[in-house]
C-alpha cells in the first residue's frame, strides 16, 4: 500500500522515524493484530492498555452497530438517553463500596481534569474555599491536559508548555531499585514514601490542600508497583487531614490487577476514582469519574432549576460509547475476565522474571497482568536501547510498549499460556540479539 503520510501529525510518536518505516495495522482479532504486510502480530499491550477483552468481540461490535442505527447522538446537557443510566447502574456494581456516582467524560485525560475540578469545587461548595492545592507525584502520568500534566511528574510532558497550574506540589515517586529490584509482585520496602504527604502538609498546611492524586500502579513511567502499605498510609494521612484521595485507574481499571479495580486489589478505597480505556474495551472513546455519595450530595443544594456542577462535554455519555461499554461489561462478565489476571499472573510473573540475568536487564516488575522490564540505558542515549528492542519485537511479531529504557507488557486479559510463552521467547531473543 503506497499512501501519502505527510498530512497526519501523529500523537506521542517519533513522526520522522515512523514515516521512514511505517508500522501499519490493518486488522485485529482476539490477541492478534494484522499488519499491512499480512503479518500476524501478538498484542502484548492490549492496544494501549485498553483492549482488555481482546479484539473484535461480537457483543461489543453488535452493540455499537445496533446503537448507531437507533440513536446516534443525544445531547447530554439537560437531556439524556436510557443507556447512560443503565451503564452507570452496571458500573457501580463493580466499583469499590461507596463509589456509587458516575460522571462521564471521553478520555482518561478528561476524567483526570474532571476529578481535580470536582475535588476543588467540593471543598468550596461545603464552605472550605481555601482548599485548592493539588498534590501529585513525581513520575505520575495523568494524561495530557493542563490539570493532568500539572499534577503529573514527567518532565518531558511538561517542559514545553509554559506555566503549569499554580498551587501544585508533588510526593516523591516510589521507585527504589536499590532495595526492591526484581520484586515479585508488590515490593516490600517503601511504605514510608507516603510520609512525604505529612511533610507537604507541614509546609503548606492541610487547610490549603484539596486532594492527592496517584496512580495505584504507575504505568507510563515504567510500571511502578506500590510498596506494601504505601497506599494504606496515604489513605490514613488524607483521612487525618480532611484531604480527598483520588486514584487514577485509567490503566488499572477493569481487571488489569486481578480485581475490577486496583483499589480492590490493594484494599484501599479513594474518594474519587478515574477510569477510561477498558471501560469500552478501547472501542469507542469514553472516560469516567466515580465519586462517593457524600461528594455528590454536597453539590445537590441551592435552587433546583440551577446546574449544580458546571462541567461536562458534548460527548459525555455518548450513546455509542454507552453501547460499547455495556457490550464490554457483558463480555467481561460472560468470560470472568475481571478476575482472570489472578489466574494468569503466576505464570506471567514466572515468564517475566526468567528474563533476569539476560544482558542489560536491571529490574523486572509485575502485578496482575502488568509487567515491566528495565534495561540499562545506552551511554548518553537514554531510551535508545529500549526503542531498538521495540522495533526488533515488532519485526518478530510482538507489540510491546516502551517508556524510557523500560518496556511494558499489559496483554488482553483473554491471554493463554501459549501467548505468554511466545512473548517471553520473543523478548529473550531480542535481548540476546541486542547484547
Ligand atoms: C494513569 C493514566 N491517566 C490518564 C491517562 C490519559 O488517558 P487518555 O490517553 O485516554 O487521555 C492515561 C493514559 O495512558 C493513564 O495511563
Amino acid at each position: 500500500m503506497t499512501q501519502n503520510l505527510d498530512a497526519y501529525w501523529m500523537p506521542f510518536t517519533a513522526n520522522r522515524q515512523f514515516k521512514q518505516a511505517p508500522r501499519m495495522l490493518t486488522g485485529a482479532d482476539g490477541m492478534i493484530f494484522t499488519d499491512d504486510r499480512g503479518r500476524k502480530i501478538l498484542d502484548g499491550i492490549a492496544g494501549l492498555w485498553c483492549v482488555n477483552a481482546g479484539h473484535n468481540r461480537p457483543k461489543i461490535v453488535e452493540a455499537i452497530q445496533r446503537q448507531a442505527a437507533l440513536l446516534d447522538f443525544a445531547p447530554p446537557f439537560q437531556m439524556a438517553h436510557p443507556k447512560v443510566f443503565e451503564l452507570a447502574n452496571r458500573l457501580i456494581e463493580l466499583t469499590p463500596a461507596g463509589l456509587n456516582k458516575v460522571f462521564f467524560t471521553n478520555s482518561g485525560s478528561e476524567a483526570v481534569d474532571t476529578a481535580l475540578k470536582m475535588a476543588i469545587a467540593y471543598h468550596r461548595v461545603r464552605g472550605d474555599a481555601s482548599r485548592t492545592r493539588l498534590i501529585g507525584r513525581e513520575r505520575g502520568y495523568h494524561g495530557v491536559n493542563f490539570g493532568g500534566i500539572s499534577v503529573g511528574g514527567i518532565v518531558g510532558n511538561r517542559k514545553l508548555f509554559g506555566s503549569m497550574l499554580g498551587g501544585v506540589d508533588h510526593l516523591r515517586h516510589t521507585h527504589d531499585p536499590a532495595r526492591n529490584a526484581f520484586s515479585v509482585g508488590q515490593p516490600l520496602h517503601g511504605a514510608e514514601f507516603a510520609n512525604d504527604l505529612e511533610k507537604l502538609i507541614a509546609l503548606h498546611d492541610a487547610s490549603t490542600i484539596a486532594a492527592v492524586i496517584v496512580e495505584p500502579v504507575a504505568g507510563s513511567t515504567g510500571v511502578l508497583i506500590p510498596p506494601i502499605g504505601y497506599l494504606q498510609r496515604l489513605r490514613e494521612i488524607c483521612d487525618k487531614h480532611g484531604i480527598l484521595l483520588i486514584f487514577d485507574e485509567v490503566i488499572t481499571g477493569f481487571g488489569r490487577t486481578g480485581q475490577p479495580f486496583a483499589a480492590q486489589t490493594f484494599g484501599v478505597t479513594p474518594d474519587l476514582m478515574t477510569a477510561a480505556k477498558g471501560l469500552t474495551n478501547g472501542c469507542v472513546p469514553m472516560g469516567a469519574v466515580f465519586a462517593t455519595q457524600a461528594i455528590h450530595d454536597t453539590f445537590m443544594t441551592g435552587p433546583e432549576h440551577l446546574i449544580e456542577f458546571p462541567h461536562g462535554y458534548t460527548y459525555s455519555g455518548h450513546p455509542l460509547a454507552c453501547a460499547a461499554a455495556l457490550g464490554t461489561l457483558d463480555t467481561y462478565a460472560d468470560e470472568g475476565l475481571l478476575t482472570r489476571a489472578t489466574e494468569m499472573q503466576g505464570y506471567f510473573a514466572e515468564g517475566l522474571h526468567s528474563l533476569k540475568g539476560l544482558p542489560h536487564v536491571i529490574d523486572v516488575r509485575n502485578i496482575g497482568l502488568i509487567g515491566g522490564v528495565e534495561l540499562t540505558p545506552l551511554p548518553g542515549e537514554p531510551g535508545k536501547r529500549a526503542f531498538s528492542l521495540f522495533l526488533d519485537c515488532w519485526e518478530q511479531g510482538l507489540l510491546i510498549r516502551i517508556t524510557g529504557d523500560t518496556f511494558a507488557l499489559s496483554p488482553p486479559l483473554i491471554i493463554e499460556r501459549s501467548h505468554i510463552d511466545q512473548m517471553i521467547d520473543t523478548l529473550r531473543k531480542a535481548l540476546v540479539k541486542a547484547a
Side-chain angles (χ1 to χ4, degrees):
M1 179 169 44
T2 320
Q3 222 180 0
N4 187 338
L5 305 182
D6 274 356
Y8 177 40
W9 188 349
M10 299 174 69
F12 271 128
T13 297
N15 275 253
R16 289 157 303 161
Q17 191 281 339
F18 181 94
K19 289 173 187 184
Q20 282 160 27
R23 298 173 290 281
M24 212 73 94
L25 299 169
T26 52
D29 194 63
M31 291 289 301
I32 306 293
F33 278 115
T34 309
D35 79 355
D36 61 350
R37 292 183 267 163
R39 296 182 319 133
K40 301 291 173 205
I41 314 287
L42 179 63
D43 183 358
I45 51 169
L48 193 51
W49 304 76
C50 48
V51 185
N52 289 4
H55 298 271
N56 192 25
R57 302 312 312 269
K59 283 204 169 161
I60 308 174
V61 174
E62 285 156 22
I64 298 169
Q65 287 171 335
R66 266 198 316 273
Q67 187 61 43
L70 183 69
L71 175 69
D72 50 1
F73 180 79
F77 304 163
Q78 308 285 17
M79 298 297 295
H81 60 96
K83 284 221 165 60
V84 75
F85 293 97
E86 186 185 343
L87 177 59
N89 291 333
R90 289 278 300 277
L91 285 168
I92 64 164
E93 288 169 16
L94 298 173
T95 49
L99 289 171
N100 58 0
K101 298 289 174 185
V102 194
F103 192 100
F104 289 111
T105 70
N106 309 296
S107 67
S109 300
E110 289 179 359
V112 164
D113 277 42
T114 299
L116 299 176
K117 288 174 77 175
M118 234 177 227
I120 292 171
Y122 158 77
H123 289 296
R124 184 179 164 114
V125 170
R126 63 179 192 86
D128 203 352
S130 66
R131 285 191 183 261
T132 55
R133 194 177 300 281
L134 300 167
I135 308 290
R137 190 168 59 185
E138 294 169 355
R139 296 186 68 159
Y141 182 64
H142 300 292
V144 292
N145 291 343
F146 268 103
I149 59 173
S150 299
V151 293
I154 304 181
V155 63
N157 291 356
R158 294 158 56 94
K159 69 181 178 193
L160 295 181
F161 305 112
S163 305
M164 299 289 105
L165 273 189
V168 172
D169 215 334
H170 292 78
L171 306 167
R172 267 177 304 168
H173 64 73
T174 60
H175 188 40
D176 188 358
R179 291 191 295 171
N180 290 326
F182 299 104
S183 295
V184 179
Q186 280 191 275
L188 286 181
H189 307 286
E192 73 281 1
F193 286 121
N195 295 336
D196 278 12
L197 183 54
E198 290 280 17
K199 278 199 187 167
L200 294 179
I201 290 167
L203 179 67
H204 299 296
D205 200 77
S207 67
T208 70
I209 303 177
V212 173
I213 180 166
V214 293
E215 303 154 87
V217 177
S220 297
T221 51
V223 180
L224 307 180
I225 318 288
I228 291 171
Y230 172 84
L231 295 172
Q232 281 80 357
R233 184 85 192 102
L234 272 189
R235 177 73 274 181
E236 284 162 17
I237 302 172
C238 285
D239 284 347
K240 188 167 130 202
H241 296 281
I243 297 168
L244 297 181
L245 180 61
I246 307 173
F247 278 179
D248 183 350
E249 294 236 21
V250 166
I251 57 165
T252 48
F254 300 98
R256 184 55 54 202
T257 63
Q259 295 292 321
F261 292 92
Q264 292 142 333
T265 303
F266 298 122
V268 176
T269 304
D271 303 292
L272 292 165
M273 186 172 83
T274 60
K277 300 205 185 239
L279 169 55
T280 57
N281 204 39
C283 297
V284 180
M286 184 176 230
V289 178
F290 298 96
T292 60
Q293 183 82 39
I295 291 176
H296 167 269
D297 288 354
T298 300
F299 286 91
M300 299 300 136
T301 56
E304 291 203 356
H305 70 285
L306 292 185
I307 290 164
E308 298 98 354
F309 183 48
H311 179 78
Y313 303 93
T314 298
Y315 306 115
S316 284
H318 191 284
L320 291 192
C322 289
L326 287 164
T328 298
L329 295 186
D330 287 342
T331 308
Y332 290 156
D334 291 350
E335 299 173 22
L337 294 180
L338 296 182
T339 51
R340 191 156 189 279
T342 51
E343 283 163 44
M344 301 307 289
Q345 66 185 352
Y347 194 74
F348 182 63
E350 242 173 69
L352 279 171
H353 284 272
S354 74
L355 301 175
K356 182 178 176 180
L358 289 179
H360 311 299
V361 172
I362 52 173
D363 194 9
V364 176
R365 305 185 275 276
N366 72 286
I367 190 101
L369 279 172
I370 303 176
V373 177
E374 186 162 351
L375 310 176
T376 27
L378 280 170
E381 295 184 289
K384 195 163 178 195
R385 192 190 301 281
F387 190 63
S388 308
L389 190 97
F390 161 75
L391 293 178
D392 189 12
C393 286
W394 165 255
E395 284 308 318
Q396 289 190 63
L398 170 67
L399 184 62
I400 62 170
R401 176 113 185 104
I402 53 161
T403 150
D405 276 293
T406 298
F407 62 84
L409 297 173
S410 56
L413 306 172
I414 56 169
I415 193 166
E416 298 292 348
R417 285 181 171 219
S418 57
H419 301 120
I420 295 178
D421 294 343
Q422 186 186 336
M423 285 197 305
I424 302 299
D425 284 351
T426 306
L427 287 164
R428 180 172 288 113
K429 278 189 202 133
L431 284 163
V432 168
K433 208 194 293 176

